[in-house]
Amino acid sequence: MSNHRHPGNEQGANSPNSSSAAGPNYFESFSSMSTLASAAHAQGRPQQQNHSIHTHHDHSAAGFSDLDSALYNVLADSNAGANPYGEYDESAGIDGGHVGGPDGGYVTAQPGNVFTWSYEQHGLPDMLSNFHGLPDQQHNAIRVEQARNGAGAGAPGGLTSSGFNAGQGTTKMDGQVSLGPQSHIMKSLRAGRKTPHQATESSDVSSLPPPSQRSQSKASTPLETERPSKANTLSSTRTVPDRSSMRSRSDFRPKTSIPTDMAPEDYARQCILAAYSSRLNPFALHPEEYELLRNHISQLQVTSYLNIRNGILRLWTRNPLVSVTREEASGCAKDYRWFDAADVAYEWLVRKGYINFGCLEVPDTTGTLAKVRAKRKTIVVIGAGMAGLGCARQLQGLFAQFGERFTAKGEEVPKVVVLEGRGRIGGRVYSHPLRTQSPENLPTGLRCTADMGAQIITGFDSGNPLSIVIRGQLALHYHPIRDNSILYDSDGSIIDKERDGLLENLFNDILDRASVYRHKVSQPQTIEGDRELIEIGRDPSGEGGKVIAMVQNPNDSVLQIGGTAEGSTRNGDTEMVPAGLDKLTGKAHIVPGSSSKAPATTQAVALGWPLREGVSPSRTLDLDMVVESLEHPTLGAVMDEALRQYQGIVDLTPRDMRLLNWHYANLEYANAANLHDLSLGGWDQDIGNEFEGEHAEIIGGYLQVPRGIWRCPTRLDVRKQCVVKRISYAPGDAPGGAESVSGKAVIDCDNGMTVEADAVVVTLPLGVLKEKSVSFEPALPGWKVGPIERLGFGTLNKVVLVYEKPFWDEGRDVFGLLRRSEAGESLNQDDYTARRGRLYLFWNCIKTSGRPMLVALMAGDAAHQTESDSDDDLVAEATAVLGRMFAHTNVPEPSEVIITRWGKDRFTRGSYSYVGSQARPDDYDLMAKPVGNLYFAGEATCGTHPATVHGAYLSGLRAASEVLESMLGPIRVPSPLVPPKPRLDSATYPSLSGKRKADDSAVRRLRDLKEARLESHEAEIKSALLEKLGERPTKPGRGAANPFLLYQKDHWVICKNKCDEARRKTTGNPDAKASRNEVRAALGQMWRDAPDEVKRPYLEETASNKEANSASQETFKKHVDEWDKAAEAFRAEYHEKNPSKPSEEEVALAEEAQQERETTKRARKLGGYVEDSDSSYGV
């Protein structure tokens, strides 16, 4: 399974190591501090656009994910002398060129100089179970000192990146993340330099400790029954405490998370982008939010709620290294009355895994238990793949954040245990180490590996959660893949691009016509806010009215308020259809509209095809007959019939047939199945959920991702080599219901271990569930067994070829190969099915593996053929086809070969799921539903992103939310959620009698009507202004202008570690930590005493930054002045041509209001009180 579907090296220079110079002891002046030890350090951070490798002192602001915010990662390496490959014990693990051991699954395929490893039904021996990617806790630490960018002074959720100055105390919000020394995070993040040919965003990840320091996992290890006491131990990751149990918010303040030095439109734009980056519609409630709030807020209040929710997401996406607190969430509200709504939004986002997820330390709210009333609960997660590890990590984070609720019930926070059958973690994400470990230009510490399963990340933008984990938290190296593919014909000749485009368009039209038979899925009910107000960051001025449930028609899927949310909902009159495939992944693109209604001849001519002689200009395709003839129509049957009918309209050559079938094979790669096994109506049921942005590969191996989730911020309790054979659970009363569950679950392993659990999360691959190698007692209900049987579980295999020197174009990331039919130069489509997927695509992995390596794909029927083909035959075939493709050079035998056979792997029995011909539209949803205290996760339970790594991870977050809700219940929504505005009582304030009008007074109604008209007119002006002049220039980011800030970013970790150590020695408390002021004071002294040669780089950089800042500010002011002048002229012209005129209703109401004022004045004169001014009644 790949990040899209299952399926070069970057030159970098290490930053110079720096250590504290001999000199003054900066810690002796404090009773809790001691000497500062030498440690290597470096800094790196993700870059939004050019993926450049930063040098050691590059402190300029850089973008993260979809946002233009800075993200600084300060990492320390205190183990420079450790064996970089210690965890991979070659003397114990490699004998004669292959990996041995009881759980190895790798055998020598042939003697001699070519070492061929065959990946079959096992994982890795235990000595490799911890291999690769992130260093051990004993040698590493990370401290991140990062304020959220974008907010002005006094904004807890958003300060400028300047942080704090030496000796000036704390800022309003200094978010500190502590991920060590008890963490398992990157050993260091070394900066590199750009290469001439490829700039790849990088963060150096070193290897692991020597074997003597490794912990060994044994299947017979008993589960811990108690955990160390955490009484009175709170996380130090935040300076703002979590007050989730408080109803009184006397020290909370509205608007504190909204920047004061930013235009509302700019703030709104960031909030909208944050929602899109979190897979949420910024202009509409999520269906689950709708169900939660429909009885609590009105249509008008939806807009205010969405502004708050989007603001909370902005805080998270701008710095995912620091968790968002409830106080920060409340600061996104503009009025005290919205604090409860902000609290509900915050809790929903946390529970559902939209914020505070991944590899970060969250505040632990667990209190001290005076008396334990119940036995500590246990949650068991079966499977340590991306779904299992993601679920376990999320459960630990949720239990910490909601710990006080367990304490209130007299319970300890539940413990989480992961059972894994293999001797390694990762599941279908596995990076196998190459035999020759001589990396060419890989970042220091990374291994030469080949990804056996997951390989491609299909876009970081538009909500991919792996963007947060990979780029925002682990800061892993990745290589962006360029779409520079080239196709070779079976004889080695290069396919003409023009002809390729012609055939690809024909293939897309065939796919489009097949999409006519897609299942029509009803949209869940929701409601939209006022798009125009959300885009300018404003809340409605009115109070609302009846709640949504009382006004929305149950038959309406979406209720719109104000402007239409363009692109936010599907227009029922516009059909969304596939418009071709991504050549890198085989995934279908989606566009509005369909060409299927046009006659085939008309479409063929429009695509550039000449019609065959005698063909009627109105001739089209008739596919209904083949659809009606099959009980379960398949995509392959309809596409083959469409192709056969097109052969009667246009002339197709055997080369054209090979080219068309290459696209068929690419579609089979995307689905891990022959097209004749795919459901015609549902094969692309996840279409429209694709992420955007360039595709990428992890340099050094994808395994670093699950490994980081396992180890950061603390090591999860994963018990390897525990093969589950039976699960006894407590069933619920209804499908998907766990409300009435009572009793325990019992998990039996084949090593004799028995584990009792209060809840079980099953992340077994669908192939294992189909094989029934794990039994369930009682048997799973029919509604759960049905989708297991109906959904398909396909296979994709790889042939990995490693060479001593590359003989291909190193700058090309992928190239394809057209395969001949079994009958040679054939025009019969059936002749191409069996062979079209054999070695049809080659990935050039030299930039990610560190070795000259090609990865060939075996898709469709070829994937199953690989399971039985001999290694010798596959190597010979690959060498022969490469010889024809690169006939200008001598193609040598590979020095190392690895062949996957995922179908024989007893822990997967395949690669990833697909929509089988008998599948129903809701089968993925049924796969996800719990059965009693049995919960399910994995890519086959994620209907929106099946067959992907991010889909597996998202399913783990969803399952964790379900487990938490079963223990704590649903989110409690206060009533009323938004209290009405307070009104002064004339009995209490008699002097105001007569001034405060009733809600239905003419004056008040006139004011509201006029304000609404003026707001609408202003929105029209802004919309026209935006269309005419574009966005107002935004203020450019400023490079750091304080040399001490740059210095402290490099030295904070080292200083903090030593201060903590000194504090622990002084107090005798092993959990004691130095205060931030102590660390700052020590750093200030270090800076003052530092020699000139140490200060010089920082002084030079700040001087350069000041010059750049000055130049950018001048340019910005010039552009702003020009824009403002043009905008002022445009406004005047617009007002003149389109004046805001009151309606007849407003004119009539003005007369009524005037009479009301005069009546009030007369009454006051008679009472002896005369107003000097009636301005309070003006409108």
Side-chain angles (χ1 to χ4, degrees):
M1 184 178 67
S2 78
N3 192 22
H4 163 319
R5 304 286 185 181
H6 176 77
N9 75 42
E10 190 59 43
Q11 182 177 1
N14 292 339
S15 61
N17 290 339
S18 66
S19 58
S20 60
N25 185 345
Y26 303 116
F27 308 97
E28 290 180 348
S29 57
F30 301 94
S31 60
S32 61
M33 300 181 181
S34 60
T35 58
L36 176 64
S38 298
H41 71 284
Q43 175 177 335
R45 54 195 169 275
Q47 178 79 6
Q48 179 185 4
Q49 296 178 346
N50 61 5
H51 307 279
S52 60
I53 302 176
H54 299 284
T55 58
H56 174 60
H57 290 301
D58 182 5
H59 298 276
S60 58
F64 164 69
S65 185
D66 302 341
L67 304 179
D68 54 351
S69 61
L71 180 63
Y72 295 103
N73 299 325
V74 183
L75 300 103
D77 175 7
S78 58
N79 186 41
N83 176 7
Y85 307 134
E87 197 169 284
Y88 183 65
D89 190 346
E90 298 188 1
S91 62
I94 295 184
D95 181 16
H98 71 280
V99 178
D103 194 28
Y106 293 85
V107 295
T108 303
Q110 62 186 68
N113 295 327
V114 179
F115 295 95
T116 308
W117 298 339
S118 191
Y119 179 67
E120 296 187 357
Q121 62 194 55
H122 299 295
L124 274 175
D126 191 56
M127 65 89 188
L128 280 180
S129 62
N130 292 328
F131 167 76
H132 194 68
L134 299 173
D136 195 68
Q137 63 198 25
Q138 300 171 349
H139 306 288
N140 309 283
I142 173 175
R143 293 291 190 276
V144 179
E145 185 68 34
Q146 172 66 46
R148 301 186 192 280
N149 292 333
L159 297 178
T160 62
S161 60
S162 57
F164 53 82
N165 294 327
Q168 292 185 357
T170 62
T171 58
K172 293 291 184 182
M173 178 61 58
D174 300 310
Q176 180 184 358
V177 173
S178 173
L179 298 180
Q182 295 302 318
S183 304
H184 309 267
I185 190 90
M186 297 162 291
K187 189 171 184 180
S188 63
L189 183 57
R190 302 187 189 277
R193 58 175 178 267
K194 300 179 184 178
T195 63
H197 16 264
Q198 178 64 39
T200 302
E201 174 173 342
S202 291
S203 58
D204 194 18
V205 181
S206 67
S207 255
L208 298 163
S212 62
Q213 299 180 5
R214 295 197 307 270
S215 60
Q216 299 295 326
S217 173
K218 302 297 182 182
S220 58
T221 304
L223 294 176
E224 294 181 358
T225 57
E226 298 293 337
R227 66 171 181 170
S229 174
K230 293 191 69 176
N232 299 322
T233 303
L234 296 178
S235 171
S236 64
T237 61
R238 302 293 294 180
T239 58
V240 178
D242 187 278
R243 300 180 174 87
S244 56
S245 62
M246 295 179 58
R247 294 299 304 158
S248 174
R249 301 182 178 90
S250 59
D251 49 355
F252 283 21
R253 296 289 182 270
K255 300 184 180 180
T256 52
S257 293
I258 302 175
T260 59
D261 59 348
M262 182 183 296
E265 294 84 355
D266 293 337
Y267 172 74
R269 191 158 48 246
Q270 289 186 1
C271 293
I272 291 170
L273 189 54
Y276 280 132
S277 299
S278 304
R279 304 178 307 285
L280 289 174
N281 184 345
F283 305 108
L285 297 179
H286 186 279
E288 292 184 13
E289 286 180 298
Y290 171 82
E291 291 298 327
L292 182 68
L293 301 172
R294 62 191 301 266
N295 292 304
H296 298 279
I297 61 175
S298 67
Q299 291 176 295
L300 207 57
Q301 292 170 336
V302 169
T303 300
S304 299
Y305 172 85
L306 289 172
N307 282 333
I308 294 172
R309 182 252 269 170
N310 296 344
I312 298 172
L313 291 170
R314 171 186 172 274
L315 295 176
W316 168 246
T317 56
R318 291 185 73 80
N319 186 4
L321 281 167
V322 181
S323 59
V324 181
T325 67
R326 289 184 185 271
E327 182 170 348
E328 288 178 306
S330 296
C332 293
K334 299 175 182 177
D335 187 277
Y336 288 93
R337 298 182 305 117
W338 284 90
F339 276 179
D340 279 333
D343 195 65
V344 169
Y346 173 81
E347 183 163 340
W348 184 81
L349 292 172
V350 170
R351 284 196 183 205
K352 299 302 178 180
Y354 288 102
I355 64 173
N356 295 0
F357 66 85
C359 306
L360 83 160
E361 191 171 1
V362 297
D364 191 342
T365 66
T366 307
T368 304
L369 284 173
K371 182 179 180 181
V372 178
R373 304 177 202 163
K375 183 180 178 182
R376 186 183 181 193
K377 293 181 178 179
T378 299
I379 313 299
V380 172
V381 179
I382 299 177
M386 280 295 292
L389 293 173
C391 180
R393 174 61 63 205
Q394 181 72 354
L395 281 171
Q396 285 203 342
L398 291 175
F399 291 158
Q401 293 175 88
F402 294 97
E404 86 290 342
R405 300 194 188 178
F406 290 96
T407 304
K409 298 194 301 180
E411 299 179 10
E412 287 188 90
V413 170
K415 65 171 176 271
V416 182
V417 177
V418 182
L419 301 181
E420 168 56 45
R422 302 179 190 269
R424 62 169 177 84
I425 65 167
R428 285 165 278 175
V429 179
Y430 172 51
S431 306
H432 182 68
L434 300 183
R435 177 177 176 271
T436 301
Q437 287 296 326
S438 56
E440 300 177 4
N441 300 322
L442 277 188
T444 302
L446 293 185
R447 299 297 311 279
C448 299
T449 65
D451 282 317
M452 302 289 95
Q455 180 175 342
I456 309 299
I457 301 168
T458 56
F460 284 115
D461 302 341
S462 299
N464 191 339
L466 296 183
S467 177
I468 295 287
V469 175
I470 293 173
R471 302 200 296 178
Q473 294 172 344
L474 298 179
L476 298 179
H477 297 261
Y478 66 90
H479 168 64
I481 302 172
R482 293 155 297 179
D483 187 9
N484 57 358
S485 58
I486 188 172
L487 295 180
Y488 292 88
D489 200 356
S490 56
D491 61 1
S493 60
I494 297 177
I495 295 295
D496 177 67
K497 290 196 176 214
E498 184 177 348
R499 192 68 179 178
D500 177 21
L502 200 62
L503 269 299
E504 185 176 4
N505 289 335
L506 183 62
F507 173 83
N508 294 340
D509 183 72
I510 292 173
L511 198 62
D512 187 1
R513 294 177 188 276
S515 71
V516 171
Y517 303 95
R518 185 192 297 120
H519 294 314
K520 306 299 181 184
V521 180
S522 60
Q523 296 298 313
Q525 200 167 31
T526 185
I527 188 171
E528 293 183 350
D530 190 318
R531 181 186 181 98
E532 293 177 352
L533 290 179
I534 293 174
E535 285 181 336
I536 61 176
R538 294 191 59 179
D539 291 346
S541 57
E543 277 295 287
K546 296 180 179 179
V547 296
I548 302 170
M550 297 179 65
V551 298
Q552 186 168 14
N553 188 329
N555 297 323
D556 294 337
S557 62
V558 178
L559 178 62
Q560 293 181 355
I561 303 173
T564 302
E566 181 182 341
S568 62
T569 59
R570 292 186 180 179
N571 188 327
D573 298 329
T574 303
E575 184 181 8
M576 307 302 289
V577 298
L581 304 182
D582 186 330
K583 286 188 176 181
L584 301 180
T585 63
K587 248 305 209 183
H589 297 299
I590 183 171
V591 297
S594 172
S595 64
S596 60
K597 296 179 181 179
T601 50
T602 302
Q603 186 64 17
V605 171
L607 295 177
W609 285 90
L611 300 181
R612 299 185 68 172
E613 186 176 352
V615 173
S616 170
S618 60
R619 181 174 173 179
T620 191
L621 307 186
D622 181 11
L623 304 178
D624 292 340
M625 185 177 297
V626 66
V627 173
E628 294 168 358
S629 67
L630 299 174
E631 181 181 1
H632 302 291
T634 66
L635 177 66
V638 172
M639 291 185 65
D640 284 354
E641 178 61 25
L643 177 55
R644 276 189 283 269
Q645 293 187 31
Y646 254 126
Q647 285 180 306
I649 297 175
V650 298
D651 285 315
L652 295 177
T653 66
R655 171 177 279 202
D656 293 337
M657 294 296 292
R658 291 194 294 272
L659 189 49
L660 280 170
N661 276 277
W662 185 91
H663 291 287
Y664 273 66
N666 211 31
L667 190 55
E668 290 176 334
Y669 154 50
N671 292 275
N674 186 296
L675 298 188
H676 287 268
D677 295 328
L678 300 180
S679 165
L680 174 62
W683 70 273
D684 59 346
Q685 54 87 38
D686 61 325
I687 199 166
N689 296 311
E690 301 86 0
F691 297 130
E692 298 176 355
E694 60 192 356
H695 298 190
E697 296 178 82
I698 303 296
I699 297 177
Y702 213 142
L703 185 59
Q704 295 169 91
V705 178
R707 186 172 176 77
I709 296 173
W710 168 40
R711 290 195 167 204
C712 302
T714 57
R715 189 190 293 255
L716 293 171
D717 186 0
V718 177
R719 307 301 171 92
K720 289 168 278 191
Q721 296 179 336
C722 294
V723 181
V724 174
K725 63 179 182 180
R726 181 170 51 253
I727 303 173
S728 303
Y729 67 98
D733 292 339
E739 293 81 0
S740 59
V741 175
S742 60
K744 300 278 189 178
V746 178
I747 301 98
D748 296 318
C749 302
D750 65 358
N751 60 3
M753 177 190 292
T754 298
V755 184
E756 189 177 81
D758 296 271
V760 180
V761 181
V762 178
T763 70
L764 298 172
L766 178 58
V768 175
L769 293 176
K770 282 178 171 290
E771 191 184 43
K772 300 180 180 179
S773 56
V774 177
S775 62
F776 294 89
E777 296 180 2
L780 294 175
W783 62 264
K784 174 64 76 170
V785 174
I788 293 176
E789 295 176 345
R790 291 189 295 267
L791 288 174
F793 197 67
T795 302
L796 176 78
N797 278 313
K798 298 180 179 180
V799 177
V800 181
L801 308 166
V802 186
Y803 299 90
E804 294 303 318
K805 293 182 180 181
F807 51 82
W808 58 90
D809 182 357
E810 298 179 48
R812 199 175 298 280
D813 290 322
V814 61
F815 46 89
L817 173 66
L818 277 53
R819 303 310 309 264
R820 293 170 60 89
S821 73
E822 294 178 308
E825 296 289 297
S826 173
L827 292 176
N828 185 351
Q829 173 64 5
D830 295 336
D831 294 339
Y832 289 89
T833 303
R835 293 184 52 82
R836 63 190 174 206
R838 291 186 69 86
L839 307 172
Y840 90 100
L841 192 70
F842 288 82
W843 290 99
N844 171 22
C845 297
I846 193 170
K847 293 182 174 65
T848 57
S849 69
R851 298 283 298 157
M853 186 175 80
L854 296 176
V855 175
L857 298 185
M858 304 287 280
D861 289 351
H864 298 281
Q865 297 162 7
T866 308
E867 304 283 326
S868 57
D869 287 348
S870 71
D871 299 324
D872 290 345
D873 289 344
L874 289 171
V875 173
E877 182 179 355
T879 303
V881 298
L882 287 171
R884 291 193 293 271
M885 295 163 67
F886 301 99
H888 61 281
T889 185
N890 180 30
V891 176
E893 289 284 324
S895 60
E896 184 177 356
V897 176
I898 308 171
I899 299 171
T900 69
R901 292 184 172 92
W902 286 100
K904 293 183 179 180
D905 188 324
R906 68 186 180 111
F907 295 112
T908 61
R909 296 305 182 193
S911 301
Y912 42 87
S913 65
Y914 64 88
V915 184
S917 61
Q918 301 183 43
R920 300 173 183 173
D922 63 342
D923 276 350
Y924 275 104
D925 295 334
L926 291 175
M927 285 291 300
K929 286 186 178 297
V931 182
N933 61 351
L934 204 59
Y935 300 84
F936 292 85
E939 54 83 15
T941 70
C942 184
T944 56
H945 301 88
T948 62
V949 174
H950 54 262
Y953 183 71
L954 287 172
S955 74
L957 300 183
R958 186 253 313 146
S961 175
E962 293 171 346
V963 172
L964 181 74
E965 184 163 326
S966 72
M967 296 181 168
L968 299 181
I971 297 174
R972 297 184 293 272
V973 182
S975 184
L977 180 60
V978 184
K981 288 183 179 180
R983 292 182 175 84
L984 299 178
D985 188 356
S986 60
T988 306
Y989 303 93
S991 62
L992 300 180
S993 179
K995 290 186 66 177
R996 185 66 61 183
K997 302 298 179 187
D999 284 345
D1000 58 348
S1001 68
V1003 173
R1004 178 62 58 87
R1005 284 182 286 134
L1006 177 59
R1007 179 184 296 115
D1008 291 344
L1009 193 60
K1010 184 175 180 179
E1011 286 180 354
R1013 173 172 58 84
L1014 295 178
E1015 285 181 358
S1016 177
H1017 186 63
E1018 177 64 19
E1020 291 176 3
I1021 294 175
K1022 289 185 176 180
S1023 178
L1025 184 64
L1026 184 64
E1027 183 177 353
K1028 178 71 174 179
L1029 301 180
E1031 297 283 355
R1032 187 175 188 268
T1034 56
K1035 192 173 183 178
R1038 296 176 61 87
N1042 187 331
F1044 173 74
L1045 292 181
L1046 306 181
Y1047 179 83
Q1048 64 88 15
K1049 288 180 186 296
D1050 286 343
H1051 294 80
W1052 177 270
V1053 174
I1054 304 168
C1055 185
K1056 179 70 166 61
N1057 287 343
K1058 302 310 294 185
C1059 291
D1060 288 346
E1061 181 181 353
R1063 172 65 71 180
R1064 288 190 288 268
K1065 289 181 180 179
T1066 302
T1067 61
N1069 181 0
D1071 296 323
K1073 294 184 179 181
S1075 69
R1076 302 169 71 83
N1077 285 339
E1078 289 176 327
V1079 181
R1080 290 191 182 101
L1083 278 169
Q1085 188 62 41
M1086 288 173 58
W1087 172 253
R1088 288 189 290 272
D1089 293 342
D1092 292 341
E1093 58 269 19
V1094 173
K1095 293 182 177 180
R1096 184 177 300 111
Y1098 301 101
L1099 294 171
E1100 292 175 351
E1101 182 173 352
T1102 53
S1104 176
N1105 287 345
K1106 287 178 181 179
E1107 293 180 3
N1109 292 342
S1110 177
S1112 63
Q1113 287 299 317
E1114 289 180 3
T1115 303
F1116 167 70
K1117 289 180 180 179
K1118 178 182 177 182
H1119 291 166
V1120 167
D1121 290 342
E1122 293 174 352
W1123 193 94
D1124 288 344
K1125 290 179 181 178
E1128 184 178 358
F1130 179 84
R1131 280 180 173 274
E1133 181 182 356
Y1134 191 92
H1135 275 298
E1136 183 178 352
K1137 294 181 178 179
N1138 306 281
S1140 177
K1141 298 179 180 180
S1143 63
E1144 294 181 0
E1145 178 186 3
E1146 187 176 344
V1147 172
L1149 198 56
E1151 295 177 358
E1152 183 181 346
Q1154 182 62 27
Q1155 294 176 1
E1156 189 175 276
R1157 293 191 197 97
E1158 293 174 357
T1159 301
T1160 304
K1161 286 182 180 181
R1162 285 195 298 270
R1164 287 174 176 167
K1165 289 179 180 179
L1166 291 175
Y1169 174 75
V1170 180
E1171 280 274 3
D1172 293 332
S1173 172
D1174 62 352
S1175 60
S1176 61
Y1177 302 97
V1179 294

